[in-house]
Amino acid sequence: MSEERGRLFVISGIQAAGKTTVGLSLAKTLTKAVFIDGDTIGNLVVSGQEPMTLPPTQEAVEQLLFRYVGALVVADTYRTAGFDAVIADSIFGEYFADFLELAEPETIQFVMLNPSKDTVRLREMERGTDGYREDGVTIDNLWDTVEFSTKRVGLWLDNSHMTVAETVLEILKRQEEATVAPGA
């Protein structure tokens, strides 16, 4: 086991903001790192999975918080062995404070990817996925939640016109801005 604990990077944003692609690329850039995808942790629930809707059910909120805890536990396991950990997940709005509380007492490198709504629409169309639904989980609603209902701490990047490599480079260059200390 390494004596030096690894760093904790958290890459957030709405669906199609680039969290997974950027997070995986960031982890590959670091010397010794693991990548933890929030969707993968959430999909450990194979029966009884409750999707987030607007408004969410109590069960959906509980599963979201379990997902955050699961990602943090995996990250902590590897960080103890000296790996940097990169978590990519949708962490914003009223649940952002919950995530920060769950992460305490750790200092994290938090990055909010915040491309324009038009960029998200284009990326979603290109992906051919159904991350947005008719139950209130829309690009406009989630983008507005990030923009107007999420505490502005860490590094916020409009990556609308940035490549993945440029985004990763910007994150590494601006790590100090990304630092969120306990109690923030």
Side-chain angles (χ1 to χ4, degrees):
M1 291 268 197
S2 171
E3 290 185 26
E4 187 170 327
R5 194 165 168 76
R7 295 170 291 179
L8 177 57
F9 290 87
V10 179
I11 311 299
S12 186
I14 65 175
Q15 290 95 317
K19 300 177 302 295
T20 303
T21 305
V22 168
L24 184 57
S25 183
L26 173 62
K28 287 179 177 180
T29 302
L30 301 170
T31 304
K32 186 176 177 183
V34 296
F35 174 71
I36 303 152
D37 181 21
D39 287 340
T40 300
I41 299 293
N43 287 331
L44 293 174
V45 178
V46 294
S47 60
Q49 191 177 81
E50 187 74 22
M52 285 297 282
T53 56
L54 294 176
T57 64
Q58 182 64 32
E59 179 68 21
V61 171
E62 287 174 5
Q63 287 182 21
L64 177 68
L65 296 177
F66 290 152
R67 170 181 172 146
Y68 292 166
V69 169
L72 288 164
V73 167
V74 172
D76 193 52
T77 300
Y78 281 93
R79 290 179 59 230
T80 299
F83 286 83
D84 289 328
V86 180
I87 296 173
D89 207 346
S90 298
I91 305 166
F92 48 80
E94 63 187 283
Y95 307 110
F96 181 62
D98 294 322
F99 181 86
L100 290 178
E101 187 175 313
L102 292 167
E104 284 189 357
E106 299 300 324
T107 295
I108 64 175
Q109 305 299 311
F110 182 79
V111 179
M112 178 66 76
L113 298 179
N114 196 24
S116 70
K117 290 179 187 180
D118 288 340
T119 298
V120 171
R121 283 187 185 89
L122 179 63
R123 289 177 183 172
E124 185 68 7
M125 187 178 69
E126 289 171 348
R127 292 182 341 167
T129 58
D130 61 352
Y132 296 98
R133 308 177 303 268
E134 297 300 318
D135 60 6
V137 179
T138 66
I139 291 170
D140 289 333
N141 285 346
L142 293 185
W143 192 92
D144 288 350
T145 298
V146 167
E147 188 65 27
F148 304 114
S149 300
T150 304
K151 186 175 183 178
R152 287 215 176 234
V153 297
L155 176 60
W156 285 53
L157 287 178
D158 177 350
N159 61 325
S160 297
H161 304 290
M162 298 169 77
T163 66
V164 172
E166 290 169 337
T167 305
V168 168
L169 203 59
E170 195 70 14
I171 291 168
L172 292 172
K173 187 169 70 177
R174 297 172 63 190
Q175 279 184 68
E176 192 171 312
E177 285 178 66
T179 301
V180 178

